PDB file of all heavy atoms in Angstrom:
ATOM      1  N   GLY K 299    -129.744  21.499 168.552  1.00  0.00           N
ATOM      2  CA  GLY K 299    -128.633  20.676 169.009  1.00  0.00           C
ATOM      3  C   GLY K 299    -127.721  21.433 169.953  1.00  0.00           C
ATOM      4  O   GLY K 299    -128.104  22.469 170.521  1.00  0.00           O
ATOM      5  N   MET K 300    -126.495  20.940 170.114  1.00  0.00           N
ATOM      6  CA  MET K 300    -125.535  21.535 171.044  1.00  0.00           C
ATOM      7  C   MET K 300    -124.413  22.216 170.280  1.00  0.00           C
ATOM      8  O   MET K 300    -123.934  21.708 169.263  1.00  0.00           O
ATOM      9  CB  MET K 300    -124.943  20.457 171.952  1.00  0.00           C
ATOM     10  CG  MET K 300    -124.072  21.003 173.075  1.00  0.00           C
ATOM     11  SD  MET K 300    -123.249  19.713 174.032  1.00  0.00           S
ATOM     12  CE  MET K 300    -121.888  19.312 172.943  1.00  0.00           C
ATOM     13  N   GLU K 301    -123.989  23.371 170.787  1.00  0.00           N
ATOM     14  CA  GLU K 301    -122.892  24.126 170.182  1.00  0.00           C
ATOM     15  C   GLU K 301    -122.013  24.691 171.287  1.00  0.00           C
ATOM     16  O   GLU K 301    -122.513  25.141 172.317  1.00  0.00           O
ATOM     17  CB  GLU K 301    -123.462  25.267 169.323  1.00  0.00           C
ATOM     18  CG  GLU K 301    -122.412  26.103 168.635  1.00  0.00           C
ATOM     19  CD  GLU K 301    -123.005  27.268 167.851  1.00  0.00           C
ATOM     20  OE1 GLU K 301    -124.216  27.559 168.039  1.00  0.00           O
ATOM     21  OE2 GLU K 301    -122.260  27.894 167.070  1.00  0.00           O
ATOM     22  N   ILE K 302    -120.710  24.658 171.077  1.00  0.00           N
ATOM     23  CA  ILE K 302    -119.765  25.224 172.044  1.00  0.00           C
ATOM     24  C   ILE K 302    -118.976  26.337 171.368  1.00  0.00           C
ATOM     25  O   ILE K 302    -118.457  26.164 170.263  1.00  0.00           O
ATOM     26  CB  ILE K 302    -118.803  24.148 172.590  1.00  0.00           C
ATOM     27  CG1 ILE K 302    -119.589  23.100 173.394  1.00  0.00           C
ATOM     28  CG2 ILE K 302    -117.729  24.779 173.480  1.00  0.00           C
ATOM     29  CD1 ILE K 302    -118.757  21.944 173.885  1.00  0.00           C
ATOM     30  N   LYS K 303    -118.892  27.493 172.037  1.00  0.00           N
ATOM     31  CA  LYS K 303    -118.175  28.646 171.504  1.00  0.00           C
ATOM     32  C   LYS K 303    -117.184  29.174 172.536  1.00  0.00           C
ATOM     33  O   LYS K 303    -117.453  29.123 173.737  1.00  0.00           O
ATOM     34  CB  LYS K 303    -119.151  29.781 171.161  1.00  0.00           C
ATOM     35  CG  LYS K 303    -120.171  29.459 170.087  1.00  0.00           C
ATOM     36  CD  LYS K 303    -121.083  30.660 169.872  1.00  0.00           C
ATOM     37  CE  LYS K 303    -122.114  30.401 168.788  1.00  0.00           C
ATOM     38  NZ  LYS K 303    -123.006  31.575 168.595  1.00  0.00           N
ATOM     39  N   LYS K 304    -116.070  29.685 172.059  1.00  0.00           N
ATOM     40  CA  LYS K 304    -115.133  30.387 172.937  1.00  0.00           C
ATOM     41  C   LYS K 304    -115.494  31.870 172.947  1.00  0.00           C
ATOM     42  O   LYS K 304    -115.788  32.431 171.897  1.00  0.00           O
ATOM     43  CB  LYS K 304    -113.694  30.209 172.456  1.00  0.00           C
ATOM     44  CG  LYS K 304    -113.128  28.818 172.673  1.00  0.00           C
ATOM     45  CD  LYS K 304    -111.643  28.766 172.381  1.00  0.00           C
ATOM     46  CE  LYS K 304    -110.836  29.522 173.417  1.00  0.00           C
ATOM     47  NZ  LYS K 304    -110.880  28.905 174.755  1.00  0.00           N
ATOM     48  N   TYR K 305    -115.470  32.493 174.126  1.00  0.00           N
ATOM     49  CA  TYR K 305    -115.751  33.923 174.196  1.00  0.00           C
ATOM     50  C   TYR K 305    -114.506  34.751 174.501  1.00  0.00           C
ATOM     51  O   TYR K 305    -114.560  35.984 174.489  1.00  0.00           O
ATOM     52  CB  TYR K 305    -116.847  34.211 175.230  1.00  0.00           C
ATOM     53  CG  TYR K 305    -116.478  33.875 176.668  1.00  0.00           C
ATOM     54  CD1 TYR K 305    -115.718  34.746 177.442  1.00  0.00           C
ATOM     55  CD2 TYR K 305    -116.920  32.696 177.260  1.00  0.00           C
ATOM     56  CE1 TYR K 305    -115.389  34.462 178.754  1.00  0.00           C
ATOM     57  CE2 TYR K 305    -116.606  32.396 178.574  1.00  0.00           C
ATOM     58  CZ  TYR K 305    -115.834  33.278 179.316  1.00  0.00           C
ATOM     59  OH  TYR K 305    -115.522  32.972 180.619  1.00  0.00           O
ATOM     60  N   TRP K 306    -113.359  34.068 174.730  1.00  0.00           N
ATOM     61  CA  TRP K 306    -112.117  34.783 175.043  1.00  0.00           C
ATOM     62  C   TRP K 306    -110.961  33.817 174.891  1.00  0.00           C
ATOM     63  O   TRP K 306    -111.128  32.605 174.984  1.00  0.00           O
ATOM     64  CB  TRP K 306    -112.169  35.323 176.481  1.00  0.00           C
ATOM     65  CG  TRP K 306    -110.951  36.102 176.921  1.00  0.00           C
ATOM     66  CD1 TRP K 306    -110.689  37.424 176.685  1.00  0.00           C
ATOM     67  CD2 TRP K 306    -109.839  35.609 177.677  1.00  0.00           C
ATOM     68  NE1 TRP K 306    -109.486  37.787 177.247  1.00  0.00           N
ATOM     69  CE2 TRP K 306    -108.938  36.685 177.865  1.00  0.00           C
ATOM     70  CE3 TRP K 306    -109.504  34.371 178.209  1.00  0.00           C
ATOM     71  CZ2 TRP K 306    -107.753  36.553 178.557  1.00  0.00           C
ATOM     72  CZ3 TRP K 306    -108.309  34.228 178.898  1.00  0.00           C
ATOM     73  CH2 TRP K 306    -107.448  35.316 179.073  1.00  0.00           C
ATOM     74  N   ASP K 307    -109.774  34.353 174.638  1.00  0.00           N
ATOM     75  CA  ASP K 307    -108.574  33.523 174.621  1.00  0.00           C
ATOM     76  C   ASP K 307    -107.425  34.308 175.235  1.00  0.00           C
ATOM     77  O   ASP K 307    -107.412  35.545 175.206  1.00  0.00           O
ATOM     78  CB  ASP K 307    -108.221  33.094 173.199  1.00  0.00           C
ATOM     79  CG  ASP K 307    -107.141  32.016 173.194  1.00  0.00           C
ATOM     80  OD1 ASP K 307    -107.494  30.840 173.390  1.00  0.00           O
ATOM     81  OD2 ASP K 307    -105.955  32.345 173.020  1.00  0.00           O
ATOM     82  N   VAL K 308    -106.476  33.568 175.775  1.00  0.00           N
ATOM     83  CA  VAL K 308    -105.311  34.186 176.414  1.00  0.00           C
ATOM     84  C   VAL K 308    -104.623  35.162 175.466  1.00  0.00           C
ATOM     85  O   VAL K 308    -104.113  36.207 175.885  1.00  0.00           O
ATOM     86  CB  VAL K 308    -104.322  33.085 176.878  1.00  0.00           C
ATOM     87  CG1 VAL K 308    -103.057  33.707 177.452  1.00  0.00           C
ATOM     88  CG2 VAL K 308    -104.980  32.176 177.900  1.00  0.00           C
ATOM     89  N   LYS K 309    -104.621  34.848 174.179  1.00  0.00           N
ATOM     90  CA  LYS K 309    -103.961  35.713 173.194  1.00  0.00           C
ATOM     91  C   LYS K 309    -104.605  37.091 173.113  1.00  0.00           C
ATOM     92  O   LYS K 309    -104.001  38.041 172.615  1.00  0.00           O
ATOM     93  CB  LYS K 309    -104.008  35.050 171.812  1.00  0.00           C
ATOM     94  CG  LYS K 309    -103.205  33.773 171.706  1.00  0.00           C
ATOM     95  CD  LYS K 309    -103.353  33.146 170.340  1.00  0.00           C
ATOM     96  CE  LYS K 309    -104.760  32.644 170.105  1.00  0.00           C
ATOM     97  NZ  LYS K 309    -104.898  31.910 168.834  1.00  0.00           N
ATOM     98  N   GLU K 310    -105.851  37.193 173.582  1.00  0.00           N
ATOM     99  CA  GLU K 310    -106.564  38.465 173.505  1.00  0.00           C
ATOM    100  C   GLU K 310    -106.258  39.399 174.666  1.00  0.00           C
ATOM    101  O   GLU K 310    -106.742  40.531 174.689  1.00  0.00           O
ATOM    102  CB  GLU K 310    -108.075  38.206 173.461  1.00  0.00           C
ATOM    103  CG  GLU K 310    -108.531  37.390 172.265  1.00  0.00           C
ATOM    104  CD  GLU K 310    -110.005  37.039 172.357  1.00  0.00           C
ATOM    105  OE1 GLU K 310    -110.759  37.787 173.019  1.00  0.00           O
ATOM    106  OE2 GLU K 310    -110.408  36.021 171.786  1.00  0.00           O
ATOM    107  N   ALA K 311    -105.489  38.918 175.639  1.00  0.00           N
ATOM    108  CA  ALA K 311    -105.204  39.746 176.820  1.00  0.00           C
ATOM    109  C   ALA K 311    -104.508  41.033 176.406  1.00  0.00           C
ATOM    110  O   ALA K 311    -103.537  41.028 175.662  1.00  0.00           O
ATOM    111  CB  ALA K 311    -104.327  38.970 177.796  1.00  0.00           C
ATOM    112  N   LYS K 312    -105.026  42.124 176.896  1.00  0.00           N
ATOM    113  CA  LYS K 312    -104.473  43.443 176.572  1.00  0.00           C
ATOM    114  C   LYS K 312    -104.269  44.226 177.867  1.00  0.00           C
ATOM    115  O   LYS K 312    -105.213  44.529 178.579  1.00  0.00           O
ATOM    116  CB  LYS K 312    -105.423  44.225 175.651  1.00  0.00           C
ATOM    117  CG  LYS K 312    -105.654  43.563 174.291  1.00  0.00           C
ATOM    118  CD  LYS K 312    -104.433  43.694 173.391  1.00  0.00           C
ATOM    119  CE  LYS K 312    -104.754  43.242 171.975  1.00  0.00           C
ATOM    120  NZ  LYS K 312    -105.146  41.849 171.867  1.00  0.00           N
ATOM    121  N   GLY K 313    -103.016  44.512 178.167  1.00  0.00           N
ATOM    122  CA  GLY K 313    -102.741  45.347 179.322  1.00  0.00           C
ATOM    123  C   GLY K 313    -102.679  46.808 178.915  1.00  0.00           C
ATOM    124  O   GLY K 313    -102.079  47.149 177.895  1.00  0.00           O
ATOM    125  N   GLU K 314    -103.292  47.665 179.683  1.00  0.00           N
ATOM    126  CA  GLU K 314    -103.323  49.082 179.329  1.00  0.00           C
ATOM    127  C   GLU K 314    -102.225  49.850 180.053  1.00  0.00           C
ATOM    128  O   GLU K 314    -101.952  49.616 181.221  1.00  0.00           O
ATOM    129  CB  GLU K 314    -104.686  49.667 179.676  1.00  0.00           C
ATOM    130  CG  GLU K 314    -105.837  49.031 178.904  1.00  0.00           C
ATOM    131  CD  GLU K 314    -107.170  49.580 179.339  1.00  0.00           C
ATOM    132  OE1 GLU K 314    -107.176  50.501 180.184  1.00  0.00           O
ATOM    133  OE2 GLU K 314    -108.195  49.100 178.854  1.00  0.00           O
ATOM    134  N   GLY K 315    -101.622  50.774 179.366  1.00  0.00           N
ATOM    135  CA  GLY K 315    -100.677  51.695 179.993  1.00  0.00           C
ATOM    136  C   GLY K 315     -99.344  51.099 180.363  1.00  0.00           C
ATOM    137  O   GLY K 315     -98.666  51.590 181.241  1.00  0.00           O
ATOM    138  N   VAL K 316     -98.930  49.991 179.715  1.00  0.00           N
ATOM    139  CA  VAL K 316     -97.646  49.364 180.016  1.00  0.00           C
ATOM    140  C   VAL K 316     -96.639  49.735 178.936  1.00  0.00           C
ATOM    141  O   VAL K 316     -96.863  49.478 177.758  1.00  0.00           O
ATOM    142  CB  VAL K 316     -97.783  47.826 180.095  1.00  0.00           C
ATOM    143  CG1 VAL K 316     -96.421  47.193 180.291  1.00  0.00           C
ATOM    144  CG2 VAL K 316     -98.721  47.437 181.211  1.00  0.00           C
ATOM    145  N   LYS K 317     -95.542  50.330 179.338  1.00  0.00           N
ATOM    146  CA  LYS K 317     -94.471  50.656 178.398  1.00  0.00           C
ATOM    147  C   LYS K 317     -93.287  49.744 178.680  1.00  0.00           C
ATOM    148  O   LYS K 317     -92.710  49.758 179.758  1.00  0.00           O
ATOM    149  CB  LYS K 317     -94.070  52.127 178.535  1.00  0.00           C
ATOM    150  CG  LYS K 317     -95.170  53.079 178.069  1.00  0.00           C
ATOM    151  CD  LYS K 317     -94.654  54.501 177.981  1.00  0.00           C
ATOM    152  CE  LYS K 317     -95.742  55.423 177.412  1.00  0.00           C
ATOM    153  NZ  LYS K 317     -95.282  56.820 177.289  1.00  0.00           N
ATOM    154  N   ALA K 318     -92.959  48.919 177.680  1.00  0.00           N
ATOM    155  CA  ALA K 318     -91.989  47.858 177.871  1.00  0.00           C
ATOM    156  C   ALA K 318     -90.592  48.369 178.208  1.00  0.00           C
ATOM    157  O   ALA K 318     -89.773  47.629 178.728  1.00  0.00           O
ATOM    158  CB  ALA K 318     -91.929  46.985 176.619  1.00  0.00           C
ATOM    159  N   ASP K 319     -90.294  49.614 177.903  1.00  0.00           N
ATOM    160  CA  ASP K 319     -88.946  50.133 178.124  1.00  0.00           C
ATOM    161  C   ASP K 319     -88.778  50.763 179.505  1.00  0.00           C
ATOM    162  O   ASP K 319     -87.717  51.279 179.821  1.00  0.00           O
ATOM    163  CB  ASP K 319     -88.592  51.149 177.034  1.00  0.00           C
ATOM    164  CG  ASP K 319     -89.565  52.330 177.009  1.00  0.00           C
ATOM    165  OD1 ASP K 319     -90.660  52.191 177.585  1.00  0.00           O
ATOM    166  OD2 ASP K 319     -89.215  53.358 176.413  1.00  0.00           O
ATOM    167  N   ASN K 320     -89.793  50.727 180.341  1.00  0.00           N
ATOM    168  CA  ASN K 320     -89.715  51.378 181.647  1.00  0.00           C
ATOM    169  C   ASN K 320     -90.072  50.383 182.756  1.00  0.00           C
ATOM    170  O   ASN K 320     -91.231  50.194 183.102  1.00  0.00           O
ATOM    171  CB  ASN K 320     -90.659  52.581 181.689  1.00  0.00           C
ATOM    172  CG  ASN K 320     -90.391  53.477 182.878  1.00  0.00           C
ATOM    173  OD1 ASN K 320     -90.055  52.993 183.967  1.00  0.00           O
ATOM    174  ND2 ASN K 320     -90.541  54.774 182.697  1.00  0.00           N
ATOM    175  N   GLU K 321     -89.036  49.738 183.315  1.00  0.00           N
ATOM    176  CA  GLU K 321     -89.275  48.715 184.329  1.00  0.00           C
ATOM    177  C   GLU K 321     -89.937  49.286 185.577  1.00  0.00           C
ATOM    178  O   GLU K 321     -90.787  48.635 186.194  1.00  0.00           O
ATOM    179  CB  GLU K 321     -87.959  48.032 184.700  1.00  0.00           C
ATOM    180  CG  GLU K 321     -87.393  47.164 183.590  1.00  0.00           C
ATOM    181  CD  GLU K 321     -86.168  46.400 184.038  1.00  0.00           C
ATOM    182  OE1 GLU K 321     -85.922  46.311 185.270  1.00  0.00           O
ATOM    183  OE2 GLU K 321     -85.443  45.878 183.169  1.00  0.00           O
ATOM    184  N   GLU K 322     -89.551  50.492 185.962  1.00  0.00           N
ATOM    185  CA  GLU K 322     -90.117  51.080 187.183  1.00  0.00           C
ATOM    186  C   GLU K 322     -91.618  51.294 187.034  1.00  0.00           C
ATOM    187  O   GLU K 322     -92.393  51.045 187.960  1.00  0.00           O
ATOM    188  CB  GLU K 322     -89.417  52.410 187.498  1.00  0.00           C
ATOM    189  CG  GLU K 322     -87.928  52.284 187.771  1.00  0.00           C
ATOM    190  CD  GLU K 322     -87.615  51.298 188.886  1.00  0.00           C
ATOM    191  OE1 GLU K 322     -88.393  51.248 189.869  1.00  0.00           O
ATOM    192  OE2 GLU K 322     -86.609  50.574 188.773  1.00  0.00           O
TER     193      GLU K 322
END
């Protein structure tokens, strides 16, 4: 039969090397 799966979601987005306290 037919099956639909999600392979990613927006909630899974991961940015590397971002420190929230340093705007520059």
Side-chain angles (χ1 to χ4, degrees):
M300 188 186 79
E301 181 183 12
I302 295 176
K303 298 179 179 180
K304 288 189 70 67
Y305 64 81
W306 181 83
D307 191 82
V308 176
K309 294 177 293 186
E310 299 174 26
K312 298 287 189 298
E314 298 177 4
V316 175
K317 292 190 176 181
D319 59 342
N320 193 324
E321 291 186 15
E322 298 305 323

